[in-house]
Amino acid sequence: SGRRVRTGPRDPALRKSRVCYDHLAGEMGVFLHDTMMERGWLAMDRDALSVTASGRAAFVRFGIDVQALSAQRRTMTRSCLDWSMRRHHLGGSLGQALLAGIRARGWAERIEGTRIMQFSQAGERNLKHWLRSG
């Protein structure tokens, strides 16, 4: 069946978790952003999003080379408006590194031919555990 699956704004799987360029979006992306803000890992400084010292430590424990990201030309942290949630998720090189880490751990995988990121139950649990314990 070489038929392409059409997904759109009303597709529940797409609304739950998807790729936005190279970072996580949808309910899971917004949840990730909001939790990192609540934990104080990210802070809004005027109009810019920045990584705090506690955030830096949590991301390093997750295996992200924050130092290398901050040396890149690409913006490290960027708020990206989520079309299905009408709230923000995390873009920039940190958003990309987080999604890469989630995929590398096997917590979620991209469904071929779509933008859907499918989290396993264990993957969702592990992500929430990391966000709690950081």
Side-chain angles (χ1 to χ4, degrees):
S1 75
R3 212 165 58 86
R4 194 165 179 286
V5 182
R6 275 240 178 276
T7 54
R10 284 182 299 281
D11 186 311
L14 201 61
R15 293 176 75 93
K16 179 168 172 68
S17 182
R18 69 180 171 277
V19 174
C20 175
Y21 300 103
D22 60 0
H23 53 267
L24 189 65
E27 292 166 19
M28 292 299 287
V30 170
F31 169 76
L32 188 64
H33 177 276
D34 289 354
T35 306
M36 292 187 297
M37 292 292 288
E38 285 162 20
R39 292 289 320 264
W41 295 356
L42 299 175
M44 206 43 132
D45 183 28
R46 288 185 294 279
D47 283 336
L49 197 59
S50 63
V51 179
T52 64
S54 64
R56 195 170 281 268
F59 299 131
V60 166
R61 281 193 299 275
F62 190 69
I64 295 173
D65 188 342
V66 182
Q67 210 64 45
L69 291 185
S70 58
Q72 288 179 8
R73 287 181 57 147
R74 180 178 181 184
T75 305
M76 187 161 79
T77 51
R78 192 171 62 78
S79 279
C80 191
L81 187 64
D82 199 274
W83 58 250
S84 60
M85 297 288 289
R86 293 281 170 246
R87 298 200 2 246
H88 289 95
H89 60 251
L90 179 67
S93 61
L94 181 60
Q96 188 262 327
L98 279 167
L99 179 57
I102 286 166
R103 291 179 81 169
R105 284 166 174 76
W107 293 355
E109 61 182 10
R110 188 166 177 173
I111 296 179
E112 204 177 330
T114 74
R115 289 173 47 211
I116 296 168
M117 283 302 301
Q118 183 92 55
F119 274 80
S120 65
Q121 281 185 322
E124 207 168 315
R125 256 197 326 272
N126 289 331
L127 178 66
K128 289 175 178 173
H129 175 76
W130 172 68
L131 286 166
R132 276 194 312 271
S133 59

